[in-house]
Amino acid sequence: MKKLLNKSFITNFIALLIILTGYICPVQQQFVKSVGFFALSGAITNWLAIYMLFEKVPFLYGSGVIPERFEEFKLSIKQLMMEQFFTGRHIEQFIEAEEQQGGTLLNLEPLLNAVNYDKIYEGLVSSIMESSFGGMLLMMGGAEALAPLKEPFSAKMRVTLTDMVHSEVFKGALQQGLDAHKISTDIVAKIESVIDKRLAELTPQMVKEMVEAIIHEHLGWLVVWGGVFGGVLGALFGFA
């Protein structure tokens, strides 16, 4: 509240100077005092109203509204974020736009790299040995006879899988299986869970400081303009 107090102090101090001037000036004393008192009352009233936003004042109903209503403030923050930024429709549109632009929302390269081609080869050899060709292969040296095929088979299998996942048919099937609406719903649920967890950590003091940090500059000017308009009304009263 440092900047607010500075503005308030300067405004109130000037109003007091005008009042004191009204008592010592040789002419228009009533007029000058009227301007000073009205300016001081406008500045003090606005300062008190601002103070009552953040602090509870005994016997003044409605004071301390921000700490008192901090649960409502938290709910408002959540609603603002979820309804304006993280709506299911917004996320769904983003996913669809990425898909239309060829975005790589699902990168299958790590999956291809994680495939154990040796295991696939071993499974193939095992299947051959258990088939009717197994006996014939034993006569030719058994599974060891197929060893030279291991590297070419693995390389060919990788090329085949890569071609498959990049084919239009596979992409179409994958896109059909990936429901943008379901994905966006899941993302929204996770975001909401994170926001709920963070908001649950907020205290009335934190909410007060957060709101105060956002609007303190403008609140200070309310005190200044309260003094200015109060002085104008005091001048009009003095002329009346």
Side-chain angles (χ1 to χ4, degrees):
M1 298 286 285
K2 188 176 180 180
K3 292 184 179 179
L4 175 60
L5 290 174
N6 285 342
K7 288 185 176 68
S8 298
F9 176 79
I10 292 171
T11 305
N12 291 328
F13 183 72
I14 292 173
L16 283 172
L17 285 179
I18 295 173
I19 293 172
L20 292 176
T21 302
Y23 281 102
I24 61 177
C25 69
V27 294
Q28 296 291 336
Q29 287 189 355
Q30 193 62 36
F31 174 78
V32 175
K33 286 192 290 185
S34 175
V35 171
F37 278 115
F38 272 77
L40 184 62
S41 64
I44 289 179
T45 300
N46 281 8
W47 175 83
L48 182 60
I50 294 167
Y51 182 81
M52 288 169 59
L53 279 175
F54 300 100
E55 305 294 341
K56 185 72 176 176
V57 179
F59 309 113
L60 291 182
Y61 177 78
S63 62
V65 62
I66 291 178
E68 287 283 333
R69 305 277 184 172
F70 86 104
E71 288 292 345
E72 295 177 24
F73 275 95
K74 291 197 311 187
L75 181 60
S76 297
I77 293 169
K78 175 184 175 181
Q79 289 176 340
L80 174 65
M81 298 179 72
M82 297 306 300
E83 294 176 6
Q84 300 299 325
F85 298 102
F86 300 114
T87 65
R89 185 57 191 158
H90 287 167
I91 296 175
E92 188 176 336
Q93 288 174 346
F94 169 75
I95 294 173
E96 291 173 349
E98 286 294 311
E99 291 174 347
Q100 291 172 3
Q101 295 173 11
T104 55
L105 289 178
L106 183 60
N107 183 11
L108 295 176
E109 283 300 319
L111 179 62
L112 292 173
N113 292 333
V115 173
N116 191 331
Y117 296 100
D118 290 342
K119 284 285 187 183
I120 297 176
Y121 170 77
E122 291 171 5
L124 175 65
V125 172
S126 177
S127 298
I128 293 175
M129 294 302 295
E130 292 173 3
S131 70
S132 57
F133 294 99
M136 185 185 302
L137 194 59
L138 285 173
M139 296 173 59
M140 301 173 59
E144 293 298 324
L146 297 175
L149 297 176
K150 183 177 181 180
E151 291 300 326
F153 171 81
S154 298
K156 184 64 176 177
M157 179 60 68
R158 180 177 178 84
V159 171
T160 301
L161 288 176
T162 301
D163 291 342
M164 182 187 72
V165 299
H166 288 97
S167 67
E168 293 301 322
V169 175
F170 183 86
K171 287 181 179 179
L174 185 63
Q175 193 172 24
Q176 203 171 34
L178 290 175
D179 186 350
H181 176 70
K182 184 179 185 303
I183 293 174
S184 65
T185 302
D186 292 341
I187 293 174
V188 168
K190 287 181 173 62
I191 292 173
E192 186 171 5
S193 175
V194 171
I195 293 175
D196 284 337
K197 183 178 179 180
R198 184 67 188 98
L199 290 178
E201 299 171 358
L202 291 180
T203 64
Q205 180 65 24
M206 292 170 67
V207 172
K208 187 191 84 168
E209 291 174 357
M210 181 173 60
V211 176
E212 186 180 65
I214 294 171
I215 61 177
H216 72 274
E217 183 70 27
H218 300 288
L219 294 181
W221 283 109
L222 287 179
V223 177
V224 174
W225 287 113
V228 171
F229 288 119
V232 172
L233 290 175
L236 293 175
F237 178 79
F239 280 120

